[in-house]
Amino acid sequence: MQVFSRSKFGNLALLLPQCPSLPLQHSVERSGAGLKATGANTSKPIAQKKEEKKGADAVEGHDEWLHGKPLIKPLDQVELTETELEEEITRTLSANNPHAPQNIVRYSYKELAFKPVTVDHLEVHFVLEGNLMYLEASQEYRLREALHEDTTIVETGAQPDEERAKIQETPTTDEEEVDEGGEEDRPDSEASKTDKKEPKLKNQFSFCERASQTLTNPLRERGCQTEPPPCRTFCATANQSEIYDAYVEWLQAQEKNKEKQKGVQSKRDDSSKRTVLMESQTDELPRLTKAAKILERMVNQNTFDYIAQDFKYYEDPSDEFRDQKGTLLPLWKFQCDKAKGMSVTALCWNKKYQDLFAVGMGTYDFCKQGPGVLVFHTLKNHSFPEYIYTATSGIMCVDIHQQHSYLVAVGFYDGHVAVYNLKKRGEGEPVYKSTAKMGKHTDPVWEVRWQKDDLDGNRNFCSISSDGRIVSWTLVKNELIFTDILRLSVTVSVSDVQGGGQQVSVDVSGTSFDFHKQIDHLFLVGTEDGKIHKCSKTYSNQLLKSYDAHNMAVDAVKWNHFHSGVFISCSSDWTVKVWDHAAHTPLFIFDLHAPVGDVAWAPYSSTVFAAVTLDGIVHVFDLNLNKFEALCQQAVVANTVKLTHIEFNPIYPIIIVGDERGFVTSLKLSPNLRKRPKDKKGQVLPNVVELEIANMEKLVHQQREPEKNTV
């Protein structure tokens, strides 16, 4: 607490204690090196006389401060009475800053809450730099000496004014002061060093000197003892003849080494020349191969020009007189010398290059199994295949990827599945192949089908085998990763020894399958016991529907290209059946009087399909024209030769048929077998796809209507 009082003019004056008057004959001045004392001692050095003048002026200025200064009253000064002037007002100064903000909070992410913030109330109103000195410093020593001289002057009664006058009478320059005086009293002068010892001056700052001694590493000696090298004593006598013989042998050895080096260099030169020739040949070989292929195609087309003309332009004129009947015109016949004695087990057209198709070679005689061959033929050259791949096991099925036409999936008789890459032509081995560790089938693989890429962009395909497994294979880096989609099984009751019944699950062999054209997860499975199951990849342990289709194994089952609810099947029980997936009974049943090897829908019509039988006959049907019999039944091979597979070309009006001798025959459909709907006069022809769907839907409705009436 501090006490304030008002002056007569209304100002607050701080009540200070009286300051003692300073002696006039002494003054203290601050210099760069510390404090220096001035006085009236005549024995002081001449260098300090200048400082005494400054001290005197400081004393005079100090006296003026004691006398006080007149106060000037401002014009707007408030007039106060005597009682108000004498009144004492007490104010308490606190450490808190009234202008500081309060109630400040900040959010703490650590404690998840708002926390108050403390504001610093410290305000600096007055700062004064001190003049403290170290006791052992040189400035303190000089100040003490000056004060001691001042006390001696006061005791002798010398007046400072007289001394000041003497100093003024003897004007000196700075150079004289330095030269004449100060030599005795300066602490660093020679005179002062001779009279007395100067105390040791230390650094004014906090200085600490430390020393340490490290240990010296002890010397070490290591010694080891080894066995002395073996010594042998050799002594012999040498004459001139022996020395000469040794020299001749050495020369002969040198000549032999030179001859060997020359022979090695010549061999290297020959090999380098050969490599250069081989490199030039390898560079020119692809060009030569391409030119030879083009030349071969030109020669074949010129030789068999009449077949090419029939393929492009010939239309059978006799169809006009056959009413609805049609014929098949034989074109080219394809074969491969490496596949002699093998049967055609698979056919597949390339969706991108419509003139290229793949042929799988194997055998259905399970007692005479051997190697297989994968062959690619083109319509541009029927004399020699485009690609040939040999395999250690017979090939049972083939499928070409729709988008990536260079990838070909193959199923083998020994249960393996593989993928060939046509771009890597020099390699005869597949780029992907299943192994026993990677879940290969234990029985022959009957069908493979490419699927859409998965979510990771990996290509995959599915396979079905006689072991009852339907497996999805994914191409990941350099291996095939398998996933079991469905395992076909049936529950059979078996009677035990005691006469009781027991339920046993038995695997069912799958023979064929086909995926829906619009719904990716929906597919049909044909089994060896004659049943067809409708399944889904989303329900791996459950069958959506089952059809009692045939009395023998289902050889093929395929969805219609246009109508999403119609599929067809064939079997060795001589029948071909057309089904509606919503009904348990077939829409149409055709008896071909021979075991049916394969059936296929036409890509240009929803009502046209073709089938081949083991007696060498091709059957072509059009349900829109005739629902009871085939429009064409034509034998394309001898009666003793069995036809195994048939496929429609995606664009051209031709079909290819494979037989058990390894031949593939191409046939052109006559106009009656590929009729297109004609528009009526003044009527707009609807979309072809919608029209085909409507034609099949009309047939389905016609077949289901009598059943509803009978019910």
Side-chain angles (χ1 to χ4, degrees):
M1 181 183 295
Q2 296 182 356
V3 181
F4 295 85
S5 64
R6 280 204 186 106
S7 65
K8 294 182 179 181
F9 301 103
N11 295 329
L12 292 177
L14 181 62
L15 299 180
L16 299 174
Q18 294 183 358
C19 299
S21 59
L22 298 176
L24 299 178
Q25 65 273 19
H26 302 288
S27 65
V28 180
E29 181 183 6
R30 176 180 294 177
S31 62
L35 296 177
K36 295 181 181 181
T38 60
N41 189 6
T42 57
S43 62
K44 295 179 70 64
I46 299 174
Q48 297 180 358
K49 290 180 180 181
K50 213 171 187 180
E51 298 178 359
E52 291 177 357
K53 292 181 181 181
K54 297 180 181 179
D57 295 337
V59 172
E60 291 176 0
H62 188 272
D63 294 340
E64 291 179 1
W65 178 79
L66 292 176
H67 294 320
K69 295 182 181 180
L71 300 176
I72 300 174
K73 180 180 179 181
L75 298 177
D76 56 350
Q77 179 66 49
V78 180
E79 296 293 339
L80 300 176
T81 60
E82 293 295 335
T83 57
E84 291 177 348
L85 294 174
E86 292 179 356
E87 181 183 0
E88 292 185 355
I89 298 174
T90 304
R91 292 186 178 180
T92 304
L93 299 178
S94 63
N96 295 331
N97 184 6
H99 301 290
Q102 299 178 356
N103 299 331
I104 298 178
V105 295
R106 289 183 180 176
Y107 187 76
S108 176
Y109 290 94
K110 182 178 180 181
E111 300 180 4
L112 301 178
F114 288 93
K115 296 294 181 180
V117 179
T118 58
V119 182
D120 189 9
H121 294 272
L122 177 64
E123 292 290 340
V124 180
H125 298 284
F126 179 74
V127 178
L128 178 63
E129 296 182 358
N131 299 325
L132 298 179
M133 294 180 295
Y134 291 100
L135 294 177
E136 298 179 358
S138 61
Q139 292 88 347
E140 186 269 340
Y141 173 75
R142 294 171 185 170
L143 182 60
R144 283 185 180 181
E145 187 177 10
L147 293 176
H148 178 68
E149 292 177 356
D150 291 341
T151 54
T152 55
I153 293 171
V154 174
E155 290 177 359
T156 55
Q159 298 296 329
D161 295 335
E162 297 176 357
E163 183 68 19
R164 189 180 302 112
K166 291 180 180 179
I167 295 170
Q168 292 177 359
E169 290 176 358
T170 60
T172 57
T173 61
D174 296 339
E175 295 177 358
E176 291 177 355
E177 292 176 359
V178 175
D179 296 338
E180 295 177 0
E183 293 294 337
E184 296 179 357
D185 295 337
R186 286 177 60 183
D188 56 347
S189 63
E190 296 180 358
S192 61
K193 290 181 181 179
T194 54
D195 295 341
K196 57 183 178 180
K197 293 183 179 180
E198 182 73 19
K200 183 179 180 181
L201 300 178
K202 296 183 178 180
N203 192 356
Q204 297 182 13
F205 302 99
S206 57
F207 176 75
C208 180
E209 183 179 358
R210 294 180 180 178
S212 62
Q213 185 177 3
T214 59
L215 298 176
T216 57
N217 294 325
L219 299 178
R220 296 181 181 179
E221 292 184 0
R222 289 185 179 180
C224 60
Q225 185 177 2
T226 60
E227 296 181 358
C231 298
R232 293 181 180 178
T233 303
F234 175 78
C235 60
T237 57
N239 51 23
Q240 294 180 355
S241 60
E242 292 178 354
I243 295 172
Y244 178 77
D245 294 339
Y247 181 71
V248 170
E249 292 178 359
W250 180 78
L251 286 176
Q252 292 177 355
Q254 292 291 329
E255 291 177 358
K256 289 180 180 180
N257 292 332
K258 289 180 181 180
E259 291 177 358
K260 289 181 180 180
Q261 292 178 358
K262 289 180 179 179
V264 171
Q265 290 180 356
S266 62
K267 289 181 180 179
R268 289 179 180 176
D269 295 339
D270 295 340
S271 61
S272 62
K273 291 179 181 179
R274 290 177 183 176
T275 53
V276 171
L277 291 174
M278 290 295 293
E279 289 177 358
S280 61
Q281 290 176 1
T282 54
D283 294 340
E284 296 177 357
L285 186 60
R287 302 177 185 176
L288 183 62
T289 303
K290 186 175 182 181
K293 184 183 294 185
I294 295 173
L295 183 61
E296 184 182 11
R297 289 182 179 180
M298 294 174 61
V299 171
N300 276 285
Q301 289 181 6
N302 291 332
T303 305
F304 302 95
D305 181 63
Y306 63 96
I307 298 179
Q309 296 295 329
D310 291 343
F311 166 69
K312 290 182 179 180
Y313 308 111
Y314 180 77
E315 300 294 346
D316 192 356
S318 60
D319 278 8
E320 298 178 1
F321 308 100
R322 291 197 184 99
D323 194 9
Q324 296 178 351
K325 298 293 182 178
T327 59
L328 298 173
L329 177 64
L331 295 176
W332 299 282
K333 184 174 287 188
F334 304 88
Q335 64 176 345
C336 180
D337 295 336
K338 292 185 177 181
K340 284 185 177 180
M342 300 182 186
S343 302
V344 176
T345 55
L347 290 174
C348 183
W349 284 98
N350 194 314
K351 304 299 186 296
K352 186 175 181 181
Y353 304 99
Q354 289 80 15
D355 63 305
L356 187 68
F357 62 93
V359 182
M361 295 293 184
T363 179
Y364 288 114
D365 188 357
F366 303 135
C367 298
K368 298 180 181 179
Q369 283 298 321
V373 180
L374 177 62
V375 183
F376 289 84
H377 289 284
T378 178
L379 299 178
K380 299 177 181 179
N381 183 12
H382 70 281
S383 61
F384 195 80
E386 290 290 314
Y387 303 94
I388 300 175
Y389 296 94
T390 58
T392 57
S393 179
I395 296 175
M396 296 287 107
C397 51
V398 176
D399 191 32
I400 301 175
H401 201 285
Q402 292 187 1
Q403 288 77 27
H404 309 281
S405 58
Y406 56 89
L407 294 178
V408 182
V410 178
F412 297 94
Y413 178 80
D414 58 359
H416 287 95
V417 293
V419 177
Y420 287 88
N421 190 347
L422 300 184
K423 288 184 177 180
K424 298 181 179 180
R425 190 166 185 174
E427 300 179 3
E429 296 296 326
V431 291
Y432 298 94
K433 190 174 183 180
S434 62
T435 60
K437 293 183 179 180
M438 300 306 296
K440 84 172 189 69
H441 293 282
T442 56
D443 288 332
V445 180
W446 296 113
E447 286 285 344
V448 289
R449 286 287 183 271
W450 283 103
Q451 302 295 304
K452 292 183 179 180
D453 296 347
D454 58 9
L455 298 178
D456 296 332
N458 298 322
R459 299 172 182 85
N460 62 93
F461 65 94
C462 295
S463 63
I464 187 171
S465 173
S466 296
D467 59 1
R469 294 170 56 208
I470 301 175
V471 184
S472 174
W473 303 90
T474 305
L475 281 63
V476 179
K477 293 184 179 179
N478 295 326
E479 62 180 357
L480 288 175
I481 297 177
F482 76 99
T483 303
D484 286 344
I485 298 176
L486 181 65
R487 192 176 191 91
L488 301 174
S489 61
V490 63
T491 303
V492 180
S493 60
V494 179
S495 59
D496 53 9
V497 179
Q498 298 178 359
Q502 187 177 3
Q503 300 293 330
V504 178
S505 179
V506 180
D507 292 338
V508 178
S509 299
T511 56
S512 61
F513 74 146
D514 190 30
F515 282 84
H516 200 276
K517 300 299 185 289
Q518 287 83 26
I519 306 174
D520 297 335
H521 61 85
L522 191 65
F523 62 96
L524 297 170
V525 178
T527 60
E528 195 175 20
D529 57 357
K531 295 183 181 297
I532 297 176
H533 304 288
K534 183 169 68 172
C535 310
S536 175
K537 290 194 290 186
T538 56
Y539 302 97
S540 58
N541 296 325
Q542 187 177 1
L543 302 177
L544 300 181
K545 201 170 186 179
S546 296
Y547 308 89
D548 293 330
H550 299 276
N551 298 323
M552 298 181 68
V554 179
D555 293 329
V557 57
K558 295 180 181 180
W559 288 99
N560 191 281
H561 294 293
F562 297 93
H563 198 285
S564 60
V566 176
F567 63 92
I568 193 170
S569 65
C570 68
S571 173
S572 299
D573 61 356
W574 300 8
T575 59
V576 174
K577 297 182 180 180
V578 180
W579 298 81
D580 179 12
H581 76 103
H584 290 276
T585 57
L587 295 173
F588 303 97
I589 301 175
F590 300 97
D591 189 357
L592 304 185
H593 307 288
V596 183
D598 194 9
V599 67
W601 287 103
Y604 55 84
S605 176
S606 63
T607 59
V608 176
F609 65 91
V612 292
T613 56
L614 299 186
D615 56 357
I617 299 176
V618 178
H619 304 263
V620 181
F621 293 83
D622 190 350
L623 301 177
N624 195 25
L625 299 178
N626 194 334
K627 297 182 288 185
F628 303 102
E629 60 181 3
L631 300 182
C632 176
Q633 293 181 351
Q634 184 173 333
V636 296
V637 293
N639 294 334
T640 57
V641 179
K642 300 177 182 178
L643 296 179
T644 55
H645 286 278
I646 184 172
E647 281 290 333
F648 280 87
N649 188 279
I651 295 179
Y652 304 119
I654 63 173
I655 58 176
I656 52 175
V657 179
D659 56 36
E660 64 177 359
R661 298 180 303 173
F663 289 94
V664 178
T665 306
S666 58
L667 306 167
K668 184 176 181 180
L669 301 171
S670 64
N672 284 347
L673 302 179
R674 46 186 173 89
K675 284 184 178 180
R676 296 295 180 91
K678 297 181 180 179
D679 56 336
K680 297 180 182 179
K681 293 182 180 179
Q683 219 175 25
V684 179
L685 186 66
N687 190 7
V688 177
V689 177
E690 295 178 357
L691 183 60
E692 295 297 334
I693 294 174
N695 291 337
M696 180 57 74
E697 189 66 31
K698 181 180 178 180
L699 291 173
V700 173
H701 181 71
Q702 291 176 357
Q703 291 298 116
R704 294 303 174 199
E705 193 66 27
E707 295 180 2
K708 293 181 181 179
N709 295 333
T710 55
V711 174

